[in-house]
């Protein structure tokens, strides 16, 4: 069965610092991988997705993620954090492009 | 934003009562999904639909049923609500397999 592990339920960074949110997955087949962001009291918004076209995926708002098959990882990064990045981030995996399995989420706090 | 609405947005109900949540889309997308979001669990798939009258179970389907009589509407029913079904419920839509899922604003359900 697929599973997703997000290391760190809470991450705190200073404004302007690097953002690194970790995601490891288990999948028996080449997966589809996604990062979503959720702002308070809102639905989820897609940040980026990996579908085997390129290992480095660029998304919206300056975020990117790199698929590393050998490490079964899909970590999310942003070079310089902004206050508006404070939100909860979810990594998700699918092996058929249909049903998503989500991680537990990481709450990002950005300090001024 | 994808044209997805959920109703009601908030509901408080008593244990043992039936509850129906509605998801409505204006995108004419084929796939529709119901997830529940609970702290520490991320989002978990309850049921999904791949066409009118075509539905299937997800990871946490016990105690829930769904119906889809029209492309635009996907209903989630709790036949007899329990306190363990207190959660935030999200609907999502997707054009087809391998396409990203777009999420609605959510319904906060409290079962007392």
């Amino acid at each position: 069965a697929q599973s997703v592990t997000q290391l760190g339920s809470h991450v705190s960074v200073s404004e302007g610092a690097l953002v690194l949110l970790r995601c490891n997955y288990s999948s028996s087949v080449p997966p589809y991988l996604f990062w979503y962001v959720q702002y308070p009291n809102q639905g989820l918004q897609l940040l980026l997705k990996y579908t085997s076209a390129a290992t480095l995926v660029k998304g919206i708002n300056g975020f990117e993620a790199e698929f590393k098959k050998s490490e079964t990882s899909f970590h999310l990064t942003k070079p310089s954090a902004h206050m508006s990045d404070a939100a909860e981030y979810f990594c998700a995996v699918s092996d058929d492009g249909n049903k998503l399995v989500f991680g537990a989420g990481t709450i990002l706090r950005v300090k001024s | 934003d994808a044209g997805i609405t959920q109703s009601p947005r908030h509901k408080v109900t008593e244990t043992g009562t039936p509850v129906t949540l509605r998801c409505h889309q204006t995108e004419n997308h084929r796939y529709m999904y119901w997830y529940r979001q609970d702290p520490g669990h991320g989002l978990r798939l309850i049921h999904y639909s791949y066409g009118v009258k075509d539905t299937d179970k997800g990871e946490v389907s016990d105690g829930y049923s769904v119906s889809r009589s029209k492309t635009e509407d996907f209903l989630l029913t709790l036949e007899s609500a329990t306190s363990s079904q207190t959660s935030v419920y999200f609907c999502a839509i997707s054009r087809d397999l391998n396409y990203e899922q777009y999420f609605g604003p959510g319904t906060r359900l409290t079962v007392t």
Side-chain angles (χ1 to χ4, degrees):
Chain A
Q2 296 168 309
S3 66
V4 176
T5 301
Q6 292 185 238
L7 293 177
S9 59
H10 292 77
V11 171
S12 183
V13 301
S14 297
E15 192 172 19
L18 171 72
V19 175
L20 171 61
L21 304 182
R22 300 177 185 273
C23 173
N24 289 88
Y25 67 92
S26 67
S27 176
S28 58
V29 298
Y32 298 89
L33 292 159
F34 306 83
W35 275 100
Y36 283 86
V37 61
Q38 184 180 33
Y39 298 100
N41 299 313
Q42 295 187 24
L44 277 69
Q45 179 183 2
L46 181 70
L47 276 177
L48 50 81
K49 64 177 180 178
Y50 166 77
T51 56
S52 78
T55 58
L56 182 62
V57 182
K58 294 187 183 299
I60 62 172
N61 301 337
F63 284 94
E64 63 181 34
E66 186 174 8
F67 172 66
K68 292 187 176 181
K69 183 178 179 180
S70 61
E71 299 178 5
T72 60
S73 69
F74 190 58
H75 301 333
L76 182 70
T77 61
K78 182 175 180 179
S80 177
H82 191 272
M83 296 297 290
S84 61
D85 295 326
E88 189 164 15
Y89 293 79
F90 293 94
C91 181
V93 64
S94 172
D95 63 5
D96 63 0
N98 182 21
K99 300 182 292 291
L100 295 179
V101 175
F102 284 84
T106 297
I107 295 173
L108 175 66
R109 178 188 172 210
V110 182
K111 300 176 290 184
S112 59
Chain B
D1 291 343
I4 312 169
T5 57
Q6 292 185 232
S7 58
R9 294 293 314 277
H10 301 270
K11 186 171 183 66
V12 179
T13 192
E14 293 184 348
T15 298
T17 59
V19 176
T20 295
L21 309 183
R22 180 185 185 227
C23 177
H24 178 78
Q25 61 147 327
T26 59
E27 306 295 324
N28 201 36
H29 283 359
R30 177 183 176 192
Y31 286 80
M32 299 185 75
Y33 308 82
W34 277 108
Y35 293 87
R36 60 178 288 174
Q37 183 179 22
D38 304 288
H41 291 277
L43 280 78
R44 291 177 291 175
L45 181 65
I46 305 171
H47 282 280
Y48 68 100
S49 169
Y50 46 96
V52 173
K53 297 190 175 164
D54 292 324
T55 65
D56 205 349
K57 296 179 179 180
E59 178 187 356
V60 290
S61 59
D62 287 349
Y64 302 95
S65 62
V66 290
S67 65
R68 192 171 179 196
S69 59
K70 298 184 292 184
T71 298
E72 58 266 34
D73 288 326
F74 192 32
L75 304 181
L76 176 70
T77 297
L78 291 65
E79 300 290 347
S80 178
T82 68
S83 58
S84 64
Q85 294 176 312
T86 292
S87 186
V88 181
Y89 291 86
F90 286 98
C91 173
I93 64 173
S94 178
R95 185 189 312 172
D96 209 331
L97 290 179
N98 307 325
Y99 284 83
E100 53 264 37
Q101 295 182 20
Y102 295 97
F103 284 78
T107 293
R108 183 173 297 276
L109 176 67
T110 302
V111 183
T112 61

